[in-house]
C-alpha cells in the first residue's frame, strides 16, 4: 500500500524570512580532478609502454631478466616517473584553460530567499529535545 502524498504547500503559508541579492562573476572553469585523473591514466599507459620497450631492448642479465619481481620494479619506476610528468602537464593545462576562461567571464545576479512554510502536518515547537535534557542532567538519563 502506497503512503499518502502530502498536498502541495499553500502559497499563503510561505513566509520569506531573508532575501539576498549579490553580484557574482560567472565563468566556466575546467574540472581539475578530471584533468589530473587523465594525467594519471596517461602516466600508467606511458609506464606500461616504456616497460614493454625496455623488455624488448634489455640486455641479458638486466633487471627485467630477474623474473616478475624485476619487471614489477622496472614498471613501478617508469610508472612513477610518467605519472608525475602526466600530473604536472595536465595540471598546467587545466590552469591555463582556467585562466583563458576568465576572459569570457560575465557578470550576473544571484538571488537567495529563505522561506518558512507553515506545516500543520508536522508542527515545529521550541521544546528542548529529550537527548539534550538527558545530556545536561548530572544524574544521567531518567530510568
Amino acid at each position: 500500500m502506497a503512503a499518502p502524498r502530502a498536498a502541495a504547500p499553500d502559497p499563503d503559508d510561505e513566509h520569506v524570512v531573508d532575501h539576498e541579492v549579490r553580484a557574482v562573476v560567472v565563468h566556466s572553469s575546467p574540472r581539475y580532478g578530471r584533468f589530473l585523473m587523465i594525467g594519471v591514466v596517461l602516466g600508467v599507459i606511458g609506464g606500461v609502454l616504456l616497460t614493454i620497450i625496455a623488455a624488448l631492448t634489455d640486455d641479458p642479465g638486466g633487471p627485467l631478466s630477474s623474473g616478475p619481481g624485476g619487471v614489477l620494479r622496472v614498471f613501478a619506476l617508469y610508472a612513477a616517473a610518467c605519472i608525475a610528468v602526466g600530473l604536472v602537464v595536465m595540471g598546467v593545462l587545466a590552469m591555463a584553460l582556467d585562466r583563458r576562461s576568465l576572459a569570457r567571464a560575465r557578470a550576473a545576479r544571484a538571488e537567495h530567499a529563505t522561506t518558512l512554510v507553515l506545516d500543520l502536518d508536522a508542527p515545529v515547537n521550541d521544546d528542548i529535545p529529550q537527548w539534550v535534557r538527558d545530556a545536561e542532567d548530572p544524574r544521567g538519563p531518567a530510568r
Side-chain angles (χ1 to χ4, degrees):
M1 182 170 158
R5 288 195 288 167
D10 186 17
D12 296 334
D13 292 340
E14 293 184 358
H15 304 284
V16 176
V17 176
D18 183 36
H19 187 76
E20 182 179 8
V21 178
R22 285 191 171 189
V24 294
V25 177
V26 178
H27 75 283
S28 60
S29 64
R31 306 276 184 181
Y32 283 87
R34 292 180 184 171
F35 273 82
L36 296 177
M37 187 55 74
I38 290 171
V40 169
V41 169
L42 291 177
V44 170
I45 291 171
V48 168
L49 291 176
L50 287 176
T51 303
I52 291 171
I53 291 171
L56 296 175
T57 60
D58 188 32
D59 294 331
L64 289 170
S65 63
S66 63
V71 173
L72 284 176
R73 273 184 271 149
V74 170
F75 169 72
L77 290 173
Y78 281 142
C82 290
I83 287 172
V85 169
L87 284 173
V88 168
V89 168
M90 294 306 287
V92 168
L93 178 65
M95 287 190 295
L97 289 174
D98 190 25
R99 280 284 178 188
R100 190 170 178 205
S101 73
L102 288 175
R104 293 178 292 181
R106 64 186 192 282
R109 206 174 87 161
E111 296 184 26
H112 179 266
T114 304
T115 60
L116 294 179
V117 178
L118 182 59
D119 186 9
L120 296 178
D121 293 334
V124 178
N125 57 22
D126 292 334
D127 293 341
I128 299 173
Q130 182 65 41
W131 61 271
V132 173
R133 284 184 274 161
D134 290 342
E136 292 175 352
D137 190 7
R139 296 173 296 168
R143 295 178 193 226

